[in-house]
Amino acid sequence: MFEVLPGFRDFFPEDCLQRNFIFSHWKSWARRFDFLEYDIPTLEPLELFTRKSGEEIVSQLFHFVDQGGREVSLRPELTPSLARMVGSRINSLKRPVKWFNIAENFRYERQQKGRLRSHYQFNADIFGEPGPQADAEIISLVISVLRDFGFRPADIKLRLSDRTLWSIFLESFGFEQERALEVLAVIDKMERMSREDLLEKLKPYFNEAGEDFLASVELLRSQRDLAGLRRAMESLAPTAGLKARVRERLGNWEQLLSTLESQGVGDYLQLDLGIVRGLAYYTGFVFEVFQINDKGQPEGRALAGGGRYDHLVGLLGYPDVPAVGFGMGDVVLGDALQEKGLMPPLIDAPDIFCVTGGEAERLLAMEDAMALRQNGFRVSYPLKGTGFGKQFKLAGQSGSRVALVYGSEEREKGTVKVRDLQSGGEREIPRSHLLKHLPDIIAEGIPTESGD
Ligand code: HAM
């Protein structure tokens, strides 16, 4: 007996139905925002991820040496591969590049709620546009998708943060880039750590002065509006140069927020510098979307996360191209839809079920079934002969709207009886008129003779 590997899923037809429901929403919204679809290989050179993803993802890679001696890895995310694709054609692509993809990713994580070893992600990214309008486009796509699933502003929040402000902040404490990234990684884990552990982690950078630093970090993390953020940042930036950079950056914030307000998605936003993002390549605005509990606090794993990464294409050896995007996972989203009762009942039924008498009638039904299928109808019938009673039972169980009944009387007249399986109403029509009448019958049904 074999079981699926831990963290992997079999998708039975009813699971595929739910997955397709999610995928079709994703795709429909990507299209409405005018994103084009692309795809990448499942297997990539290991180095693409060891060099370009964050430390956390690197420790979770499914990697091995292939028969040709190459070190390869299943993709844990799409972004480095996408950056390679865009970089390789950067001079010929029409900008801005707006691309989306839905694909399976693999991460060797400890299996728990919202965390599996294989998950699907909806990614949408924009390349070639450095200004906040591109960030706004990405953020409003994320919110539009989730709003359309039925989440209200009280259910979810997009927590919006900024790596640029964090680097100005860390610079004001004298950190250059590499050490700033290390400290940022500690700040990223703050929500899940005790104060003692945090101070211990910060010791190599501050000796005994970690408390002061932590107080400033907490001041920044507690701001929930732009005015507060401005006051906090200006009080923390020690030099005129840094203060000017803060002012310029807050101008970008104003532009971003006013665009999102005018797009009508402002109610879903929460300014929250507590979000840093684990991946190493982010450079500017970053965000994560969480479910909100009764106490107004974010809960569980993020439904989606993303942000700006202006140097990743350049890091792969191509000219630098500004970029911003997000990934939304099917696992956390699927759980949230179930918990909130937002997963609708999904029906997967044929349009037509054929019920036949003897062999001669069965062959006529086969002929009609194929003609109907060629015209786009979904048609089913039993694959072995049984009595009328059993066939009607199967027709009812199939969820089909109508049954086509082929009896010997109808065969002699060249007709077929159409039965509405919901009302029980019947109508006899010539076989040659099936294609003409069935669309209306399926849409409107057949009243019973008594009109019930
Ligand atoms: P990420 O935050 O690592 O970002 O993943 C995005 C989303 O995928 C998460 O919010 C979560 O819902 C889902 N996810 C990730 N790992 C798992 C897992 N092991 N099990 C279940 N769900 C998971 C990225 O991957 C970035 N590449 C997104 C991006 C695109 N940034 C810019 N463009």
Side-chain angles (χ1 to χ4, degrees):
M1 217 85 100
F2 292 102
E3 291 186 0
V4 285
L5 290 167
F8 285 79
R9 293 169 286 175
D10 279 333
F11 286 87
F12 288 89
E14 59 273 25
D15 305 316
C16 278
L17 212 54
Q18 296 198 343
R19 193 176 70 179
N20 289 342
F21 167 75
I22 291 175
F23 285 8
S24 66
H25 264 255
W26 283 349
K27 202 165 184 169
S28 153
W29 276 100
R31 289 290 185 203
R32 293 187 223 186
F33 273 70
D34 194 28
F35 280 71
L36 306 179
E37 191 165 7
Y38 69 96
D39 208 359
I40 55 149
T42 311
L43 202 62
E44 289 278 17
L46 174 63
E47 212 189 340
L48 182 66
F49 306 117
T50 51
R51 296 229 322 250
K52 306 305 167 206
S53 292
E55 213 177 284
E56 193 172 324
I57 284 197
V58 169
S59 67
Q60 300 164 344
L61 291 174
F62 273 92
H63 63 98
F64 57 95
V65 178
D66 74 7
Q67 286 87 331
R70 297 172 203 89
E71 291 211 81
V72 293
S73 171
L74 292 178
R75 60 185 177 213
E77 57 159 339
L78 297 192
T79 314
S81 314
L82 170 62
R84 176 196 58 210
M85 268 178 92
V86 171
S88 71
R89 293 220 182 144
I90 195 57
N91 293 323
S92 57
L93 287 171
K94 193 163 81 50
R95 297 194 199 186
V97 173
K98 290 171 70 183
W99 286 1
F100 84 97
N101 172 274
I102 297 170
E104 191 174 10
N105 291 317
F106 306 88
R107 298 183 190 180
Y108 197 89
E109 300 210 41
R110 208 159 52 78
Q111 187 183 341
Q112 52 190 287
K113 187 173 158 54
R115 207 175 282 257
L116 298 178
R117 290 183 180 165
S118 137
H119 70 281
Y120 288 85
Q121 248 187 46
F122 169 34
N123 276 243
D125 294 81
I126 300 178
F127 290 81
E129 187 44 66
Q133 305 302 353
D135 302 69
E137 186 77 345
I138 285 295
I139 290 171
S140 66
L141 172 54
V142 173
I143 295 175
S144 300
V145 175
L146 293 170
R147 183 168 57 185
D148 195 35
F149 276 119
F151 294 106
R152 305 274 69 98
D155 302 324
I156 53 164
K157 281 282 175 296
L158 184 142
R159 300 166 70 195
L160 182 59
S161 176
D162 187 0
R163 285 259 200 154
T164 305
L165 282 184
W166 274 117
S167 26
I168 296 174
F169 171 83
L170 289 166
E171 242 178 86
S172 73
F173 278 87
F175 287 107
E176 42 41 84
Q177 219 190 4
E178 198 158 308
R179 279 174 76 80
L181 270 180
E182 290 169 21
V183 177
L184 216 48
V186 180
I187 297 174
D188 184 35
K189 305 221 162 49
M190 258 178 99
E191 248 167 42
R192 286 159 271 157
M193 271 160 101
S194 71
R195 210 179 160 78
E196 292 68 45
D197 289 348
L198 255 175
L199 286 169
E200 198 51 42
K201 283 258 182 219
L202 290 172
K203 235 181 192 157
Y205 306 95
F206 293 98
N207 297 321
E208 299 309 318
E211 284 279 5
D212 291 348
F213 175 75
L214 218 48
S216 304
V217 169
E218 275 159 1
L219 175 69
L220 211 54
R221 283 167 44 104
S222 65
Q223 303 309 318
R224 289 290 171 267
D225 59 42
L226 212 47
L229 186 61
R230 175 170 286 122
R231 274 195 303 277
M233 276 309 288
E234 284 181 354
S235 73
L236 294 169
T239 64
L242 284 175
K243 278 192 189 348
R245 278 171 58 200
V246 168
R247 269 197 298 282
E248 190 192 339
R249 187 58 182 162
L250 290 170
N252 294 151
W253 268 87
E254 272 167 16
Q255 237 190 322
L256 175 65
L257 293 179
S258 59
T259 306
L260 291 168
E261 282 297 336
S262 71
Q263 291 181 328
V265 298
D267 289 351
Y268 287 85
L269 299 177
Q270 185 173 79
L271 186 153
D272 186 344
L273 275 270
I275 296 298
V276 175
R277 302 282 291 146
L279 295 156
Y281 46 67
Y282 290 111
T283 52
F285 289 114
V286 285
F287 58 85
E288 285 181 1
V289 183
F290 285 87
Q291 267 194 279
I292 299 298
N293 65 18
D294 302 343
K295 297 185 194 83
Q297 296 303 315
E299 204 168 55
R301 184 171 190 161
L303 292 148
R308 186 164 274 285
Y309 51 102
D310 284 345
H311 303 308
L312 185 57
V313 178
L315 284 171
L316 294 173
Y318 302 103
D320 251 345
V321 193
V324 54
F326 72 89
M328 183 182 294
D330 71 319
V331 180
V332 190
L333 176 63
D335 287 349
L337 288 171
Q338 296 286 4
E339 282 159 23
K340 290 264 180 264
L342 295 174
M343 184 67 86
L346 299 166
I347 296 156
D348 200 12
D351 304 313
I352 296 159
F353 197 95
C354 301
V355 172
T356 60
E359 183 60 9
E361 289 80 32
R362 196 183 69 81
L363 293 177
L364 291 181
M366 293 300 98
E367 196 183 317
D368 290 350
M370 287 310 285
L372 288 164
R373 283 169 173 167
Q374 271 164 352
N375 281 277
F377 290 96
R378 186 166 152 185
V379 185
S380 201
Y381 41 76
L383 291 180
K384 64 172 187 217
T386 56
F388 267 124
K390 177 84 191 292
Q391 289 187 63
F392 275 116
K393 196 165 166 207
L394 291 173
Q397 285 166 350
S398 77
S400 169
R401 178 69 208 254
V402 299
L404 296 186
V405 188
Y406 292 82
S408 56
E409 261 177 51
E410 287 85 19
R411 176 168 58 80
E412 278 159 24
K413 286 190 276 178
T415 61
V416 58
K417 209 179 270 166
V418 189
R419 179 185 288 192
D420 181 331
L421 290 167
Q422 282 170 18
S423 70
E426 285 188 346
R427 204 171 133 189
E428 195 167 330
I429 51 178
R431 279 180 60 221
S432 55
H433 288 184
L434 270 178
L435 275 175
K436 189 165 138 212
H437 293 302
L438 273 176
D440 287 345
I441 294 178
I442 290 171
E444 289 156 25
I446 306 171
T448 54
E449 272 184 2
S450 63
D452 292 340

